[in-house]
Amino acid sequence: KHLIIFHNYGQDLEASKAVYEKNKTAAPWMRNYPPVAGNIMWARQLLRRIEEPMQGFQDHSGILDSKESKKIVKTYNKYGRAFIEFET
């Protein structure tokens, strides 16, 4: 059951990755925010979208041991770093 949920999380991660890659040069504007603050808010929302589920999966370490799971974790780390770098 947990592996299926983690696999679905991997699909959500890919969707977040696609949104980031599509919009990183011209991030969507947040209403009532200056452009820089809007870009930071956008990046933080993407980071929060991938970070909160991963924190729950870390409690079930058996899920993270498979080969497919390691690929998902590697993608999570790569794009987590990219979202943080986008803020700076």
Side-chain angles (χ1 to χ4, degrees), residues 72-88:
I72 292 171
V73 170
K74 189 174 183 178
T75 303
Y76 163 78
N77 289 332
K78 177 181 176 184
Y79 279 91
R81 271 187 248 113
F83 297 158
I84 291 170
E85 286 176 14
F86 184 83
E87 287 183 30
T88 57

Side-chain angles (χ1 to χ4, degrees), residues 3-85:
L3 288 175
I4 294 169
I5 295 170
F6 192 68
H7 177 70
N8 290 339
Y9 167 73
Q11 292 173 345
D12 289 341
L13 186 61
E14 291 296 323
S16 295
K17 172 181 145 181
V19 167
Y20 173 73
E21 291 297 333
K22 179 181 174 188
N23 296 315
K24 69 181 175 183
T25 56
W29 282 47
M30 302 291 288
R31 185 176 243 182
N32 297 326
Y33 282 94
V36 173
N39 288 346
I40 291 171
M41 290 295 295
W42 176 72
R44 286 183 182 175
Q45 286 175 352
L46 286 175
L47 181 61
R48 190 176 316 117
R49 180 177 173 181
I50 67 169
E51 200 170 55
E52 288 179 1
M54 183 58 85
Q55 290 173 352
F57 291 124
Q58 289 175 346
D59 295 338
H60 304 283
S61 61
I63 297 172
L64 304 176
D65 293 339
S66 73
K67 186 176 181 179
E68 179 69 25
S69 296
K70 290 184 188 297
K71 180 180 168 187
I72 292 171
V73 170
K74 189 174 183 178
T75 303
Y76 163 78
N77 289 332
K78 177 181 176 184
Y79 279 91
R81 271 187 248 113
F83 297 158
I84 291 170
E85 286 176 14

